[in-house]
Amino acid sequence: MDDYLSVTWCEYFVGSDDEQLRCSVEAIRSSNMDVRPKACFCLANTTDVLAAIDDAGSNGRAVYHPEGDNDAHAGIYGIAPEEAKLLARLADEVWCAFLTKDTANALPESGCAKSNDVE
């Protein structure tokens, strides 16, 4: 089991917010992750996630972890599975939006190039 929450970094990609989001969805879809037809893609601001982790008394941090099948992959550390209160807060307050398959498919497509801001 991973010791971090696996995420895809939208700002890894160049383009508008919606184009970055679509590229992130496509990165997840083309990865080895098992994305089911009824799955949704959840959105959160990393700063808000880390603040919630810190408020719960853990040391939260986000680390860029590119993987062979997802160059935009990252990990958020500090979320223990047994921390029910933190997990509830993340679900209720921090995951700010979600996209269904249809909503994700309606986002504009782009070339999904890597942003020059990513080192």
Side-chain angles (χ1 to χ4, degrees):
M1 179 195 284
D2 293 335
D3 59 351
Y4 60 86
L5 175 65
S6 180
V7 298
T8 296
W9 180 20
C10 293
E11 292 83 4
Y12 174 88
F13 301 102
V14 85
S16 69
D17 290 349
D18 283 346
E19 289 171 329
Q20 290 174 332
L21 187 53
R22 176 66 182 261
C23 290
S24 297
V25 167
E26 295 307 323
I28 293 168
R29 285 177 172 165
S30 65
S31 73
N32 290 328
M33 185 180 287
D34 185 17
V35 179
R36 303 290 175 144
K38 292 184 180 181
C40 68
F41 300 92
C42 297
L43 302 166
N45 179 295
T46 303
T47 303
D48 295 340
V49 174
L50 296 176
I53 295 168
D54 289 344
D55 288 349
S58 294
N59 183 23
R61 66 194 195 317
V63 179
Y64 178 43
H65 279 297
E67 294 185 345
D69 63 353
N70 182 351
D71 289 338
H73 183 263
I76 297 180
Y77 290 83
I79 304 172
E82 64 275 2
E83 295 183 68
K85 204 173 192 180
L86 172 58
L87 294 173
R89 180 174 176 198
L90 291 173
D92 294 342
E93 298 175 23
V94 178
W95 300 115
C96 58
F98 70 92
L99 303 172
T100 63
K101 177 182 175 184
D102 292 337
T103 307
N105 289 343
L107 292 169
E109 294 188 52
S110 72
C112 294
K114 178 181 174 181
S115 170
N116 291 332
D117 295 333
V118 175
E119 297 179 15

